[in-house]
Amino acid sequence: MTTKFVPAMKIYEPAMCCDTGCCGPSIDPELLRITATLSALQRKGITVGRYNLTSAPMAFIEDATVSARLREKGTALLPCVTVDDKIVIEGRYPTAAEFCDLLGVRAEDLHAEA
């Protein structure tokens, strides 16, 4: 049996009150989409690292590429997406098509199961 290689994706997010940013009086639909997408990928066995500046500041420091770019650009960099330790998206979350392209998954894999 062969194992499919899945690139290592990490998402570095701005400071939020919780890991998902989906709490409080109004929920950001983009954060809800990302949370649902990452949950669906997790059920398929694909883990995407997700780091919030508030709860995981060391992740930003320990990644030399992200740390250097954050010093250059400030928080306008965030969210920042890396694949195999290379920055591929700055200032926004990946679209569904980008998740598919970057992780080599099918669009069906991005949807929550009923």
Side-chain angles (χ1 to χ4, degrees), residues 37-81:
T37 298
L38 296 182
S39 292
L41 288 170
Q42 180 71 37
R43 283 191 293 282
K44 297 290 183 181
I46 300 168
T47 301
V48 174
R50 189 174 188 183
Y51 307 100
N52 176 331
L53 189 55
T54 301
S55 61
M58 287 306 294
F60 290 75
I61 294 166
E62 292 169 350
D63 185 310
T65 303
V66 170
S67 181
R69 192 73 175 129
L70 191 57
R71 281 191 303 276
E72 291 171 15
K73 204 168 181 186
T75 57
L77 170 73
L78 305 175
C80 174
V81 180

Side-chain angles (χ1 to χ4, degrees), residues 7-58:
M9 178 183 277
K10 296 177 185 171
I11 300 175
Y12 295 87
E13 300 177 299
M16 294 185 281
C17 60
C18 63
D19 289 342
T20 63
C22 290
C23 56
S26 64
I27 296 176
D28 181 340
E30 184 66 351
L31 289 173
L32 191 57
R33 178 185 73 84
I34 291 301
T35 298
T37 298
L38 296 182
S39 292
L41 288 170
Q42 180 71 37
R43 283 191 293 282
K44 297 290 183 181
I46 300 168
T47 301
V48 174
R50 189 174 188 183
Y51 307 100
N52 176 331
L53 189 55
T54 301
S55 61
M58 287 306 294

